[in-house]
Every structure is written in structure tokens, then in C-alpha cells.
């Protein structure tokens, strides 16, 4: 523990943001990380709790009190070693994790939690700058071949862990670049894609083979989700050529809003809109890019994806941006003794909201309205909740102008075709059925086929995907070798 009285002496320090006018001009990251002096103060607040709730609140179980202490003592190299021992990609989580560890921090009972995420961010950025992040080559090769299908954080973590213990890993991805939703979905202003490219380079040196634009499916192009595949590989081929297969294809089926007018030009899924901007940022040309310039944009769905549509629309130069949420407005402050150490229900205002956005709560959309096949507005009604049921408020119907509606109401399940093609059972939410038991975890009903990440747990977070990828890798290693030295 760095400083016994640190939590009484220092306030929590927030990372800085570049001014709104400046950041709206481009898609670059705008968070200003902590300098050494602030990182030292931030970590001085850690009490090194006997039971560190932060550690169990973190899905990858980062050893937070230890790296806090090392940062306090400015021993950055060992702080990186501690962080690297539990998390393959701290530069992803240090940027975009909502930080359940901070909600669980003991200081959060009656004070501001330690700014753990900002410390993680500082450690990993320092480690890359100093050249401490290097490939970890396997000491020997096992001769076993593993196919990983889907290159999001779950697939990347699984592939990296397995390559490091000497398996011959091939990562298949239907899109033209590696990264899953980190690459196509999450805007560049939240996480620049060079962070993924650096990891791909590291993983190539560790022996992972990347096969992009290759769809693993029974039929070519058998999906309605984004798909830039140029080649199709049949599941039977993978089962024949590889000793184990891990399915990490995400949960890509967006939730739709099948109300009158859904077919009008101007109503799109968020995941039709966001990846196009990622592609353009990567230097690709997009002939008919969906853009929000000069438009009245309404984003339906109050979560992270919706917030990313708000930030992207503002960067396009939208005339107005409004975000709808069906549920009532949450309280500004959580009831801490009631919710700690769990994730609290409270109003969350993202950096994208701060850039300019009207937020409407307890509102439902009844109809998309249009002229000559084009969207012109939508009909809404206010809703309230009575006895757990949603009821419309009589006389509250309203027509709002809209040129572009983006549906960001979450994801229902994985795209079915790949699971069906492998014969993998689904649970009652449509995800791949596989338990997370210590022995045999992540195995599906199909011999030598495993599943992890959003494809198994449903739409979730990057940090959960990394956890599942790491744990599935250990299970696969045990399955192949009879034992495993990989951490769980
Ligand atoms: C817009 C948006 C913003 C988000 N923001 C955040 C955030 O700020 N913080 C956070 O923690 N989480 C966020 N999330 C959630 C997070 O991105 C996901 O939980 C996480 O990426 C899931 O990882 P995954 O590896 O399981 O799957 P994914 O990242 O979905 O990757 C799956 C990959 O598999 C590929 N694939 C699928 N089927 C096939 C096939 N048959 N053949 C070959 N390839 C296939 C897909 O093309 C995709 O690249 C966000 C999600 C979205 C949509
Ligand atoms: S819970 Fe908070 S104060 Fe306690 S060890 Fe973790 S970060 Fe430090």
C-alpha cells in the first residue's frame, strides 16, 4: 500500500478531454491520460483492502491493489507485468471498459472510487511507449491445430493464449480486418484502430495465422449482417483439419423495430451506420456512405451503441441529434449502500452526449412516417410503468421530424447459421450453449467445438469477451494436452 492516508488526502482525478469543438472536427481519440504525478496521486488513494472487491468486480480479475502500489512507487515496468498477467489487451479496456472494478471499489461505498481505469490506461500506454510489450514465443510446439472463428476480443484473446503455449492457431474472420466490434462498431474516437494493428503484429510474431475475408458457414453469404467475406470455408472442413475449433462469432443479430414505415429509406440499424465510418477512417472509400450531415437524427436506444451513433452523427454535422430511451430517466446518483459492490443503476452521460444531444426518456415509437418512400418523421407516445407493465400515456402522441433514424436497441443473439452449420445447441436466448465449469468449460455439445464471448454469453462487454477467450483457451489446451499451465 503506497500511502496509508492517501484516500483522505487526495480527491479522485478524472482524465482530461480535449474541448468539444476540437474533437468534433475529427475521429481521433480525445482523452488525455494521467501524467506521472497524477497517476501517483490516483494510486495513493488505494487502501489495499484485505478483501479487494475491485479484483472480484473485474471480469479478468486484474490484480488492482498490486499495480496501484507499483504505480505509486513509480515502478511502471512491474506494474505492467502485473497487469499483463491477467489481461491480454489492457489498451482496449483502459479506453473503453465501463470499469465495473470501480463500482466495486471499497471507497465507492461512501466516497469516489479509485480511478482504476485511468491507472490501467497509463500503465499500458507507458509499456507500449517503452517497448515492454513484446511477443511471447512458445518454448515448444505441440503439433496441435486450433481454429478460432471470429476475431473480436474473445477470439483474439483465445488465439493469443493458445499460440503462446505452442499450438498452431488460425483465426478466421469474415470481415476484411481483424478486431470484431472493436474494429467495426466502436468508433475510432473511443478507440483508434492502431491499437488492434499493433496486437495483430505481436500475435503474428507469436505464430497466429490470420485469415480475413473468410466466412465459416455452410453456404456463401448466408447472413444479413456486415460481411465482407470473399471466401467461404465449410464447418466440416474445419472439423476435419483442426484438433479443436472455438466459435467466437459475437452476437450480431440486431434487435429490430417492426412498426409501420420500417421499410422507409432513412431507417437503419446502428450497425449499418457505424462500421461504414470506421471503414472510411481506415482509408477505404464508401460510395453511398450513410451520413447524418444536415439531418435531424433520432437514435432509438439509450445504451452505448446509441451513444456511439450520437457521437458519429455530430461529427458528420447533423442538424439535430435526439436519443430515445424506453425506460424512465434513472436517478442521477445511485443508492450506494444498496448497490455496492454491484453495477449501479444510474443516469450515465457519455462524452458523446456532452458533445450535443437531446435525451428523451420513457418514450416509445409507434410509426415511421414518410413521403415517396423516404422518412420524414416519426410518431411517438409517452409511456409509464404500472405493476411492471408498460402503458401508454393517453393523449401524449407526438409527431417529430426526422431524416435519419438509427436503431440501437441491442442485439438479440448470434447469427444462427454458423451455430446450425456446426450443429451447436442454443440456450433459450439463442446463444451457443456451453457452460463455464472449471473442467470442460466452454465446450459445446459438438465434439471438439467450443464457444466463447458474446456468441456464448450474449451481448456484453469487451472485458468479458477477453475473460471468456482466456478461459476457453485454457479449456481447449486441457482438452488437447490433458493438462494446462494457462491461467483461468
Ligand atoms: C457500437 C458498439 C459499441 C460498444 N461499445 C463498447 C464499449 O464501449 N465498451 C465495452 O466494453 N463493450 C462495448 N461494446 C460491446 C463489445 O464490443 C462486445 O461485447 C465485444 O466486442 C464482444 O466480443 P466478441 O469477441 O465476443 O465478439 P465480436 O467483437 O462481435 O467479434 C465477433 C467477430 O466474429 C466474426 N464472425 C462472425 N461470424 C463469423 C463467421 N461465420 N465466419 C467468420 N467470422 C465470423 C464477426 O465478423 C466479428 O468480427 C460495444 C458494442 C457495440 C456494437
Ligand atoms: S477496492 Fe479500491 S481501495 Fe480497495 S484495493 Fe481495490 S482499488 Fe484499492
Amino acid at each position: 500500500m503506497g500511502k496509508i492516508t492517501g484516500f483522505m488526502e487526495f480527491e479522485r482525478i478524472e482524465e482530461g478531454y480535449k474541448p468539444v469543438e476540437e474533437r468534433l472536427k475529427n475521429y481521433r481519440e480525445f482523452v488525455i491520460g494521467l501524467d506521472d504525478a497524477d497517476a501517483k496521486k490516483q494510486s495513493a488513494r488505494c487502501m489495499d483492502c484485505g478483501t479487494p472487491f475491485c479484483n472480484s468486480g473485474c471480469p479478468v480479475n486484474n490484480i488492482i491493489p498490486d499495480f496501484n502500489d507499483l504505480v505509486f512507487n513509480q515502478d511502471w515496468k512491474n506494474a505492467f507485468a502485473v497487469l499483463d498477467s491477467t489481461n491480454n489487451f489492457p489498451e482496449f479496456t483502459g479506453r473503453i471498459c465501463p470499469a465495473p472494478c470501480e463500482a466495486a471499489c471499497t471507497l465507492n461505498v461512501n466516497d469516489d472510487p479509485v480511478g482504476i481505469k485511468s491507472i490501467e490506461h497509463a500503465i499500458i500506454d507507458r509499456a507500449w511507449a517503452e517497448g515492454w510489450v513484446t511477443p511471447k514465443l512458445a518454448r515448444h510446439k505441440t503439433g496441435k491445430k486450433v481454429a478460432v472463428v471470429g476475431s473480436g476480443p474473445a477470439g483474439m484473446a483465445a488465439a493469443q493464449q493458445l499460440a503462446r503455449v505452442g499450438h498452431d492457431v488460425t483465426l478466421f474472420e469474415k470481415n476484411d480486418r481483424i478486431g470484431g466490434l472493436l474494429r467495426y462498431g466502436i468508433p475510432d474516437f473511443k478507440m483508434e484502430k492502431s491499437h488492434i494493428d499493433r496486437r495483430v503484429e505481436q500475435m503474428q510474431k507469436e505464430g497466429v495465422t490470420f485469415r480475413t475475408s473468410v466466412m465459416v458457414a455452410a453456404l456463401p453469404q448466408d447472413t444479413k449482417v456486415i460481411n465482407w467475406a470473399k471466401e467461404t470455408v465449410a464447418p466440416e472442413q474445419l472439423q476435419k483439419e483442426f484438433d479443436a475449433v472455438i466459435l467466437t462469432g459475437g452476437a450480431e443479430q440486431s434487435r429490430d423495430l417492426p412498426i409501420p414505415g420500417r421499410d422507409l429509406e432513412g431507417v437503419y440499424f446502428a450497425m449499418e451506420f457505424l462500421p461504414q465510418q470506421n471503414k472510411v477512417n481506415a482509408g477505404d472509400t464508401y460510395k453511398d456512405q450513410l451520413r447524418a450531415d444536415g439531418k435531424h437524427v433520432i437514435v432509438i436506444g439509450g445504451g452505448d451503441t446509441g451513444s456511439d451513433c450520437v457521437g458519429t452523427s455530430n461529427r458528420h454535422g447533423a442538424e439535430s441529434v435526439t436519443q430515445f430511451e424506453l425506460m424512465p430517466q434513472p436517478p442521477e446518483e445511485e443508492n450506494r449502500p444498496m448497490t455496492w459492490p454491484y453495477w449501479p443503476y444510474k443516469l450515465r452521460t457519455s462524452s458523446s452526449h456532452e458533445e450535443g444531444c437531446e435525451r428523451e426518456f420513457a418514450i416509445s415509437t409507434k410509426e415511421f412516417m414518410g413521403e415517396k418512400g423516404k422518412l420524414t418523421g416519426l410518431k411517438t407516445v409517452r409511456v409509464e410503468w404500472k405493476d411492471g407493465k408498460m402503458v401508454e400515456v393517453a393523449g401524449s402522441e407526438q409527431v417529430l421530424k426526422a431524416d435519419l433514424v438509427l436503431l440501437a436497441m441491442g442485439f438479440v443473439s448470434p447469427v444462427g447459421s454458423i451455430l446450425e452449420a456446426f450443429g451447436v445447441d442454443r440456450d433459450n436466448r439463442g446463444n451457443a450453449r456451453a457452460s463455464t465449469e472449471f473442467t470442460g468449460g466452454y465446450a459445446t455439445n459438438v465434439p471438439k467445438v467450443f464457444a466463447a464471448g458474446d456468441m456464448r454469453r450474449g451481448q456484453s462487454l469487451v472485458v468479458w469477451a477477453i475473460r471468456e477467450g482466456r478461459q476457453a483457451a485454457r479449456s481447449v489446451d486441457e482438452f488437447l494436452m490433458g493438462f494446462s499451465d494457462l491461467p483461468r
Side-chain angles (χ1 to χ4, degrees):
M1 175 178 191
K3 190 152 203 257
I4 291 177
T5 51
F7 71 99
M8 295 192 288
E9 283 176 47
F10 306 117
E11 301 281 313
R12 174 185 160 103
I13 304 166
E14 298 296 342
E15 292 181 310
Y17 286 173
K18 288 188 182 155
V20 170
E21 327 66 84
E22 193 183 317
R23 66 197 203 218
L24 280 181
K25 289 186 192 139
N26 58 58
Y27 295 85
R28 305 299 306 269
E29 286 177 10
F30 52 79
V31 172
I32 305 162
L34 303 183
D35 61 21
D36 286 5
D38 280 349
K40 188 173 171 74
K41 272 193 204 159
Q42 186 87 289
S43 54
R45 295 187 72 236
C46 176
M47 304 184 291
D48 193 9
C49 305
T51 304
F53 284 87
C54 55
N55 169 260
S56 45
C58 169
V60 290
N61 302 118
N62 278 339
I63 310 162
I64 294 161
D66 290 26
F67 68 60
N68 283 346
D69 181 57
L70 290 160
V71 168
F72 177 79
N73 289 303
Q74 302 286 286
D75 183 353
W76 291 91
K77 196 165 186 184
N78 277 316
F80 165 62
V82 170
L83 180 56
D84 184 56
S85 69
T86 53
N87 187 348
N88 295 62
F89 312 119
E91 65 275 33
F92 303 166
T93 45
R95 286 174 167 76
I96 55 172
C97 189
C101 55
E102 292 186 12
C105 171
T106 316
L107 272 180
N108 197 35
V109 177
N110 62 354
D111 196 351
D112 289 328
V114 174
I116 301 165
K117 179 175 159 184
S118 65
I119 296 172
E120 177 182 39
H121 187 181
I123 297 170
I124 187 62
D125 280 12
R126 164 74 66 106
W128 276 106
E130 298 280 353
W132 299 330
V133 188
T134 51
K136 293 187 191 170
L137 304 183
R139 267 177 272 151
H140 60 270
K141 288 299 228 178
T142 62
K144 304 280 184 191
K145 291 173 74 185
V146 183
V148 180
V149 183
S151 72
M156 286 180 73
Q160 183 165 59
Q161 293 293 91
L162 287 165
R164 285 176 173 180
V165 289
H167 301 305
D168 206 348
V169 183
T170 306
L171 185 43
F172 292 88
E173 170 55 58
K174 69 175 158 58
N175 293 336
D176 55 353
R177 292 183 176 91
I178 296 296
L181 291 172
L182 292 167
R183 174 78 66 178
Y184 292 124
I186 294 175
D188 297 52
F189 56 78
K190 269 171 61 180
M191 197 190 99
E192 287 175 13
K193 308 312 169 193
S194 55
H195 303 298
I196 311 172
D197 299 336
R198 281 196 300 205
R199 285 293 178 182
V200 169
E201 214 177 292
Q202 180 196 34
M203 289 169 65
Q204 273 166 338
K205 290 185 180 142
E206 290 170 340
V208 176
T209 304
F210 290 93
R211 290 195 58 194
T212 49
S213 300
V214 179
M215 169 111 182
V216 176
L219 298 165
Q221 312 290 326
D222 69 341
T223 167
K224 292 190 175 63
V225 295
I226 55 165
N227 180 6
W228 291 297
K230 294 198 175 112
E231 198 187 318
T232 304
V233 170
E236 302 78 51
Q237 194 180 329
L238 292 195
Q239 280 167 308
K240 204 159 61 188
E241 287 177 15
F242 291 86
D243 299 297
V245 178
I246 312 183
L247 303 178
T248 48
E252 295 189 283
Q253 197 67 63
S254 299
R255 182 169 286 111
D256 206 349
L257 188 57
I259 55 174
R262 172 63 182 88
D263 294 338
L264 290 167
E265 186 187 325
V267 183
Y268 302 98
F269 284 122
M271 284 304 290
E272 292 175 273
F273 177 70
L274 295 171
Q276 294 189 7
Q277 188 57 51
N278 297 130
K279 262 190 155 302
V280 171
N281 294 339
D284 295 355
T285 42
Y286 224 101
K287 213 168 123 246
D288 297 310
Q289 189 194 350
L290 285 178
R291 291 197 53 98
D293 321 53
K295 293 183 181 163
H296 294 283
V297 181
I298 295 188
V299 179
I300 302 185
D304 264 351
T305 305
S307 161
D308 292 346
C309 291
V310 169
T312 303
S313 299
N314 276 325
R315 278 166 182 71
H316 283 181
E319 181 65 28
S320 71
V321 185
T322 308
Q323 188 177 16
F324 284 3
E325 168 57 56
L326 194 62
M327 301 301 287
Q329 180 165 342
E332 300 260 345
E333 263 289 308
E334 74 268 39
N335 183 343
R336 294 183 191 221
M338 289 292 285
T339 55
W340 178 87
Y342 301 110
W343 187 244
Y345 174 65
K346 66 173 181 182
L347 183 68
R348 292 178 194 277
T349 301
S350 72
S351 54
S352 290
H353 292 134
E354 285 163 0
E355 289 164 3
C357 170
E358 291 291 322
R359 297 172 79 183
E360 299 281 351
F361 292 88
I363 189 165
S364 171
T365 307
K366 298 197 73 160
E367 186 181 336
F368 298 117
M369 303 162 76
E371 280 165 24
K372 298 186 185 144
K374 278 196 172 173
L375 178 79
T376 54
L378 37 73
K379 194 184 279 176
T380 64
V381 66
R382 293 283 161 188
V383 291
E384 55 189 10
W385 300 82
K386 284 190 179 151
D387 302 326
K389 284 195 191 125
M390 188 183 85
V391 288
E392 294 183 358
V393 177
S396 66
E397 287 199 349
Q398 221 184 337
V399 172
L400 298 177
K401 189 171 164 46
D403 311 301
L404 177 63
V405 164
L406 298 169
L407 303 176
M409 300 176 303
F411 297 83
V412 191
S413 66
V415 173
S417 50
I418 183 174
L419 297 180
E420 271 133 36
F422 275 94
V424 168
D425 284 349
R426 300 200 197 202
D427 63 17
N428 51 15
R429 292 186 302 150
N431 303 319
R433 190 192 294 282
S435 87
T436 55
E437 295 297 312
F438 192 80
T439 306
Y442 299 89
T444 68
N445 57 306
V446 181
K448 73 181 193 181
V449 177
F450 296 72
D454 281 9
M455 182 153 253
R456 192 202 69 79
R457 62 183 291 117
Q459 183 200 11
S460 185
L461 293 175
V462 169
V463 68
W464 277 104
I466 296 174
R467 170 200 171 102
E468 295 222 342
R470 287 171 67 87
Q471 294 193 342
R474 186 194 152 101
S475 259
V476 169
D477 190 33
E478 262 178 338
F479 165 73
L480 295 174
M481 308 303 290
F483 71 98
S484 179
D485 288 333
L486 283 172
R488 213 179 115 91

